[in-house]
Amino acid sequence: MDSSVPTAQELGGYFLATQHSLTRRWVDDAFRLNLLVERCAEDVLMATDLEFAASRARRFAPGPLFVRLR
């Protein structure tokens, strides 16, 4: 993995640290961190696997309808 790209665990930790103190009381930090790590895993994959990123870009690229609406 490219060392300049944080891991999903690191990203989850960054996001957890920025959570508002009020909402941090709603869910245990360990549970919340696991949820954040799961959500960050695909972002890290797209940043480190160009084939996967290209596949996602093709799948979600706007189609002809979008072009006609401009």
Side-chain angles (χ1 to χ4, degrees), residues 18-54:
T18 64
Q19 300 283 304
H20 191 280
S21 59
L22 176 66
T23 62
R24 294 258 319 246
R25 288 186 266 162
W26 297 348
V27 178
D28 176 67
D29 274 356
F31 183 77
R32 186 184 297 261
L33 179 60
N34 283 335
L35 293 174
L36 290 167
V37 169
E38 284 178 21
R39 298 195 81 166
C40 292
E42 189 170 293
D43 294 332
V44 171
L45 183 58
M46 283 195 288
T48 57
D49 184 333
L50 294 179
E51 263 186 58
F52 178 76

Side-chain angles (χ1 to χ4, degrees), residues 1 28 48 52 56 60 63-64 67 70:
M1 179 185 293
D28 176 67
T48 57
F52 178 76
R56 292 278 299 192
F60 294 106
V67 173
R70 283 185 172 181

